[in-house]
Amino acid sequence: MNYTEALGYMKKAAERGSVLGLSRITELLRRMGDPQDKVKTVHIAGTNGKGSFGAMLTSVLKSAGYTVGGFSSPAITKVTDSFRINGEEISEQDFADLIGGIAPICESMDEKPTEFEVLTVAAFQLFADRGCDMALVECGMGGDLDSTNVIKAPVLSVITNVQKDHSAFLGDTIAEIASHKCGIIKAGRPVYFGGNSEEAYEIAADTAKKLGCELFIPDYSQFSWSEDNCTIEGAELTYKGQELHIPLLGTYQFENAVNVLSCVEILRREGIDIPETAVRDGLANVKWHGRFEVISREPLIIYDGAHNPDGIRCAADSIRRCFGVKKVVLLIGVMADKEYGLYADMLGELTETAFAVKPDNPRALDSKALAQALNARGMKTAPYDDYTSGVRAAYDYVKQHDLPLIALGSLYMYQQFTDALKDIMI
């Protein structure tokens, strides 16, 4: 099977829709020899921060000499972006080979697996084939019924935080959402909770107690960090007296780093050797895209995949810390199921003007509807039916007025934005 054929098969799987339940993926994995049981795994759930957490911890473990697999979603560029070995995206042929081995088994099943189930199985098979020492596996959504929740005994279960998102599937309250995410906690295995919701913490603590798990939370007394040190060059923090540099931008990366460093201590307790030099070097060399990422410096253009109210709040805080009183220009596109009406309240005072576009996704909100909602709350916003035209208008504006451009609203928009920008800047 070649890459085009593999994509064709995934399109066929996508037509089956999203069907809850773990019976199909469990059966598919059984027929493949249960590759998910052959690699030590850190299982990661949470509303925000999963990708940055995984990138940082991967870099630390790689620096410690381990071969580390990574599975994340959604894919930011193309499907291969969801699969990584030591932080590097797999090749198109690697992906084709994985799907070529899985597809015939899927087709032999009475109840065919869904697209995400096939992708999840491909990740587990990849990690087993490559002999990974550790795999970092993100939940796609929620936890208990997520396709990744077939890991029987993770080295560590991580819940980065719990905020309101995917309410149509996970519930309207923090308690309901936390209950789903805490479904990844497994009997007798350690669990880390890094969020700041007392309600979500209580559910995590109750679940851990029932399952006989030791629950860990961050000890902020071990950390110090100055928001003045958050610039477009990254951030500095001190952990147990050791000064550390993180090249990832955004004030929220401090919280992600706290979670990673806390989990490093837990992994050490579990027998994973991680020297201090690996922690320092791993954080200093971490790479991750789509999270307050500098795309261009002349003019200054940043992309942030903030896609829910908590993410937008963090993006607004990062804009404020990096640019002070200087206004920015926004290019924004969102999914229709997000609480986008709130975005103007958080971003309006920071924004000179905004350009609304529609991401290339079936769930995307029309640019006119987005602009109407933002204008109604006082944020000057112009809609563009044609995506590239919207990017060009925003680019021309920042060039003319010497202002930073911040593109945000959805990770699904990253590839579309960078492609359009590349054509404009040629």
Side-chain angles (χ1 to χ4, degrees):
M1 180 178 283
N2 60 34
Y3 182 63
T4 301
E5 292 169 334
L7 292 180
Y9 184 77
M10 294 313 303
K11 182 178 180 180
K12 178 180 177 181
E15 292 171 353
R16 298 168 191 152
S18 178
V19 185
L20 295 178
L22 299 176
S23 60
R24 292 172 303 279
I25 190 170
T26 299
E27 175 60 16
L28 176 56
L29 286 165
R30 185 191 67 78
R31 295 187 183 203
M32 295 190 64
D34 286 317
Q36 79 280 10
D37 296 336
K38 298 176 182 178
V39 178
K40 293 179 180 179
T41 304
V42 175
H43 198 189
I44 310 163
T47 306
N48 294 316
K50 298 187 296 296
S52 296
F53 173 92
M56 288 187 203
L57 186 54
T58 293
S59 191
V60 168
L61 291 171
K62 176 187 175 184
S63 292
Y66 298 106
T67 300
V68 188
F71 178 58
S72 60
S73 62
I76 299 177
T77 54
K78 56 184 179 180
V79 66
T80 51
D81 183 52
S82 288
F83 305 85
R84 293 178 177 267
I85 301 295
N86 284 343
E88 298 297 324
E89 180 179 345
I90 66 170
S91 70
E92 292 181 355
Q93 190 55 54
D94 288 337
F95 179 74
D97 291 343
L98 287 167
I99 301 305
I102 297 171
I105 302 174
C106 294
E107 292 306 302
S108 70
M109 295 171 59
D110 292 334
E111 191 175 0
K112 308 293 189 293
T114 65
E115 178 188 25
F116 191 65
E117 288 168 346
V118 176
L119 293 174
T120 302
V121 171
F124 289 131
Q125 188 62 52
L126 171 69
F127 304 149
D129 290 346
R130 296 292 183 90
C132 291
D133 301 301
M134 186 78 70
L136 309 186
V137 177
E138 289 184 28
C139 289
M141 181 175 66
D144 52 352
L145 296 177
D146 188 78
S147 296
T148 63
N149 201 27
V150 290
I151 303 163
K152 299 182 181 69
V155 174
L156 174 64
S157 297
V158 176
I159 301 170
T160 57
N161 55 51
V162 178
Q163 302 290 339
K164 288 187 178 181
D165 198 15
H166 299 298
S167 295
F169 300 94
L170 303 180
D172 295 320
T173 68
I174 293 293
E176 289 176 300
I177 296 169
S179 294
H180 284 290
K181 296 188 186 299
C182 288
I184 71 167
I185 300 174
K186 299 298 189 301
R189 302 307 306 150
V191 57
Y192 174 82
F193 178 81
N196 56 16
S197 166
E198 185 65 29
E199 189 175 13
Y201 166 75
E202 289 176 0
I203 290 172
D206 183 60
T207 305
K209 183 178 180 180
K210 288 178 180 177
L211 293 174
C213 305
E214 189 170 5
L215 175 65
F216 297 86
I217 58 174
D219 179 3
Y220 282 98
S221 69
Q222 301 293 325
F223 300 87
S224 63
W225 176 72
S226 171
E227 291 180 340
D228 294 334
N229 288 338
C230 178
T231 70
I232 61 169
E233 304 304 326
E236 312 289 332
L237 75 154
T238 302
Y239 175 56
K240 293 184 176 180
Q242 182 181 14
E243 294 184 358
L244 302 169
H245 173 73
I246 309 168
L248 302 183
L249 310 190
T251 56
Y252 50 81
Q253 296 298 0
F254 172 68
E255 294 179 6
N256 291 328
V258 167
N259 288 340
V260 168
L261 291 164
S262 300
C263 288
V264 164
E265 298 293 350
I266 303 169
L267 293 176
R268 285 170 170 162
R269 289 176 46 146
E270 293 299 308
I272 310 299
D273 183 23
I274 308 174
E276 291 298 333
T277 53
V279 174
R280 184 186 64 246
D281 294 345
L283 289 180
N285 293 307
V286 63
K287 297 177 182 178
W288 195 234
H289 48 200
R291 276 74 171 186
F292 223 76
E293 176 188 0
V294 175
I295 305 295
S296 165
R297 290 188 178 270
E298 292 292 339
L300 182 57
I301 300 174
I302 292 174
Y303 191 95
D304 191 76
H307 59 278
N308 53 41
D310 185 62
I312 295 292
R313 177 187 60 77
C314 291
D317 188 48
S318 297
I319 293 169
R320 196 175 288 110
R321 296 298 174 188
C322 287
F323 302 111
V325 298
K326 187 175 185 178
K327 297 282 189 178
V328 302
V329 175
L330 293 183
L331 181 100
I332 184 166
V334 303
M335 298 298 106
D337 59 350
K338 303 302 179 183
E339 297 179 82
Y340 52 85
L342 302 175
Y343 296 1
D345 299 339
M346 292 181 271
L347 295 166
E349 68 175 7
L350 309 172
T351 305
E352 168 86 6
T353 191
F355 298 81
V357 291
K358 181 180 180 181
D360 184 17
N361 187 287
R363 292 170 42 223
L365 181 70
D366 180 75
S367 61
K368 289 187 177 65
L370 175 58
Q372 183 178 14
L374 298 178
N375 279 310
R377 290 179 179 253
M379 192 163 90
K380 179 184 173 184
T381 308
Y384 283 81
D385 291 331
D386 179 72
Y387 187 91
T388 301
S389 296
V391 176
R392 183 177 294 279
Y395 179 81
D396 289 344
Y397 191 96
V398 299
K399 287 276 287 184
Q400 181 180 353
H401 295 86
D402 190 27
L403 293 172
L405 173 62
I406 314 294
L408 50 70
S410 176
L411 284 170
Y412 289 109
M413 196 172 74
Y414 180 87
Q415 185 69 53
Q416 190 179 9
F417 175 74
T418 53
D419 286 347
L421 190 63
K422 193 179 302 180
D423 291 340
I424 291 168
M425 295 180 70
I426 290 176

